[in-house]
Amino acid sequence: MAHDITVIGSNMMELTTNIERMPQLGETVSAPSFHMAFGGKGANQAFAAAQLGSDVAMISVVGSDILGKEYLNHFKESGIDISGVQIGHQSNGVAPCFIQGNMNSIIVVQGANSELTPAVLDHFSKLVRDTKMIVLQQEISLKTNYHAIDIAEQYGIPVILNPAPANDNVDMEHITKCEFYSPNETELSHLTNMPVETIDQIKEAAHFLVDQGIKNLIVTIGSRGVLWVTKDQEELIPSYKVDAVDSIGAGDSFIGAFAHYYTSGDGIPTALRHANAYAAVTVTMSGSQASYPSINELPKLQAKLEINY
Ligand code: RIB
């Protein structure tokens, strides 16, 4: 059966410690609290789309350790098709996060995610071909992403690539094959080497990329909204006034929600507005996946949103 969305990407166990200060090298400090949560950009995007009711398949590699087992169960419980999830030979990917006040530092250890090779995609080729949309990010090997893009091109499947975390090796030939390319403004600056402080600068950098052949460039600009640029048009979709608690994983929720609304039949501008509203709700709660509401919880939470003109 065809899926609505196939997400090819990472899963990471978030190991979050609230700290009073970072230890110096060689020093031990105690910290007030710790918790573990499900994260990783690919899994976050899959979870957001599944929470909204999409039929989602995940292609990912979990660890051979206890964290990998936990993650596999979590995918199952979230209603995500795990027939494309392999158990690797290494420990699960982890993201130790250190939160001090409203600042956070994150270390990403790829672990078993590094085993998500092009050969794994060939093994699960049915899941790659038999879907309405493919979602990619950059916490796995770029070679795997490019292989996915080539398969998608062959079968005419739209791809959204979220170039996070930023990577210096950008292959324009592959990127321009994607229907949607969605960096945040920092990643946009990294990609173009252009300043992105003001909206005008962001627009200039966005047009620079579109002039190189990107079809739909979607730049997420946090509290300033979302900029959609194609070769013929440009639209700035405003954000919402929110009491932000924690923005970890908000970008991923936007991508997953966009994929959901787009594959459900919304046109691009409508899907962008809906995804923008979904991501706005997630920043009012802490955690990444822990802050992604289900389709049933959403109306009440979105009713409180006010556009930030
Ligand atoms: O985008 C947020 C995600 O990045 C977190 O879930 C963390 O795991 C890191 O991968």
Side-chain angles (χ1 to χ4, degrees):
M1 189 198 67
H3 289 282
D4 294 326
I5 298 164
T6 296
V7 179
I8 299 169
S10 61
N11 71 86
M12 303 267 170
M13 201 61 100
E14 286 174 9
L15 309 171
T16 305
T17 311
N18 287 296
I19 57 169
E20 275 151 6
R21 68 173 180 86
M22 280 296 240
Q24 305 286 320
L25 272 186
E27 187 193 17
T28 302
V29 294
S30 55
S33 62
F34 167 84
H35 71 272
M36 203 159 84
F38 299 102
K41 295 182 192 304
N44 289 351
Q45 293 166 359
F47 186 76
Q51 282 287 82
L52 285 166
S54 276
D55 175 357
V56 182
M58 182 85 202
I59 300 184
S60 194
V61 183
V62 297
S64 53
D65 55 359
I66 179 88
L67 299 181
K69 266 197 198 129
E70 287 282 324
Y71 221 121
L72 199 59
N73 280 336
H74 169 64
F75 278 139
K76 265 194 232 163
E77 281 166 11
S78 312
I80 293 170
D81 178 348
I82 55 157
S83 59
V85 179
Q86 280 193 339
I87 300 175
H89 302 287
Q90 304 173 53
S91 54
N92 207 77
V94 291
C97 312
F98 302 93
I99 301 191
Q100 187 178 354
N102 57 4
M103 300 296 285
N104 60 64
S105 308
I106 306 181
I107 300 169
V108 166
V109 184
Q110 231 191 355
N113 290 295
S114 64
E115 296 173 46
L116 182 43
T117 58
V120 176
L121 297 192
D122 289 338
H123 187 71
F124 297 120
S125 61
K126 193 165 166 10
L127 293 176
V128 185
R129 313 186 296 259
D130 219 358
T131 187
K132 293 187 203 159
M133 186 173 212
I134 291 173
V135 178
L136 303 172
Q137 354 58 44
Q138 296 190 156
E139 268 180 345
I140 56 165
S141 134
L142 289 185
K143 266 195 191 155
T144 306
N145 275 351
Y146 295 155
H147 191 53
I149 292 168
D150 288 337
I151 302 173
E153 183 191 29
Q154 206 182 333
Y155 290 92
I157 301 161
V159 173
I160 180 163
L161 171 57
N162 167 221
N167 189 311
D168 284 333
N169 291 321
V170 179
D171 176 0
M172 284 314 283
E173 200 200 315
H174 277 100
I175 286 167
T176 51
K177 287 182 188 174
C178 297
E179 193 61 35
F180 303 98
Y181 190 64
S182 183
N184 64 20
E185 81 268 41
T186 315
E187 289 144 8
L188 178 67
S189 167
H190 193 92
L191 287 157
T192 57
N193 269 322
M194 292 167 77
V196 292
E197 268 95 65
T198 66
I199 292 289
D200 283 343
Q201 288 173 336
I202 294 171
K203 286 182 178 172
E204 205 177 320
H207 280 283
F208 174 80
L209 276 190
V210 168
D211 287 346
Q212 292 178 55
I214 287 177
K215 293 178 201 141
N216 288 283
L217 184 72
I218 298 167
V219 188
T220 51
I221 340 175
S223 59
R224 290 181 289 175
V226 176
L227 177 69
W228 172 41
V229 180
T230 69
K231 80 176 160 33
D232 311 309
Q233 61 187 354
E234 166 195 294
E235 186 177 345
L236 181 63
I237 294 143
S239 66
Y240 294 88
K241 283 186 205 152
V242 287
D243 289 329
V245 171
D246 171 356
S247 65
I248 296 185
D252 303 329
S253 74
F254 173 84
I255 301 288
F258 175 76
H260 163 78
Y261 289 113
Y262 181 72
T263 56
S264 304
D266 281 350
I268 299 171
T270 309
L272 288 175
R273 278 183 174 74
H274 284 151
N276 197 23
Y278 188 77
V281 166
T282 72
V283 303
T284 64
M285 294 173 272
S286 62
S288 45
Q289 290 180 33
S291 70
Y292 298 0
S294 69
I295 188 80
N296 298 328
E297 297 162 324
L298 197 57
K300 204 166 147 202
L301 293 164
Q302 285 190 337
K304 296 183 199 153
L305 293 178
E306 231 182 286
I307 292 207
N308 194 9
Y309 287 108

